[in-house]
Amino acid sequence: MDKLRGEINWSEEIREFIKRRIEEERKRKALERFIGIVKTLPEAPRGAAKNLVRGDRDSH
C-alpha cells in the first residue's frame, strides 16, 4: 500500500468498497423480504396467465 500511496487514494477506495457492500446487503435483505411476501401469495389457477394474455390480445 505504501508503494502505491501516490497513485491510489486508499481511504477513498475503502470508503467506496464499504458503500458498495452496504448496498449489496440492503438489496439482499430486500430480496429476502420480497421472496417471503411472494411465498404467502395464493397460487394462480392453472391457465390464468394464458387467459389474461389472450383476453388482452383480443381486446385490441
Side-chain angles (χ1 to χ4, degrees):
M1 286 178 65
D2 286 338
K3 290 179 183 179
L4 296 173
R5 183 170 300 204
E7 298 174 42
I8 297 174
N9 181 341
W10 290 109
S11 59
E12 184 62 26
E13 291 288 326
I14 293 167
R15 192 176 359 269
E16 289 301 316
F17 171 80
I18 291 170
K19 286 179 184 178
R20 284 192 309 271
R21 186 65 180 93
I22 289 169
E23 187 60 27
E24 287 173 8
E25 192 62 19
R26 284 185 186 148
K27 288 177 182 178
R28 186 188 65 75
K29 287 181 179 181
L31 182 58
E32 283 179 2
R33 286 192 306 272
F34 176 76
I35 290 170
I37 292 168
V38 168
K39 285 182 177 182
T40 66
L41 297 174
E43 191 171 313
R46 187 166 181 84
K50 178 179 72 175
N51 293 334
L52 288 170
V53 169
R54 187 169 286 151
D56 183 61
R57 191 181 312 140
D58 293 343
S59 71
H60 294 281

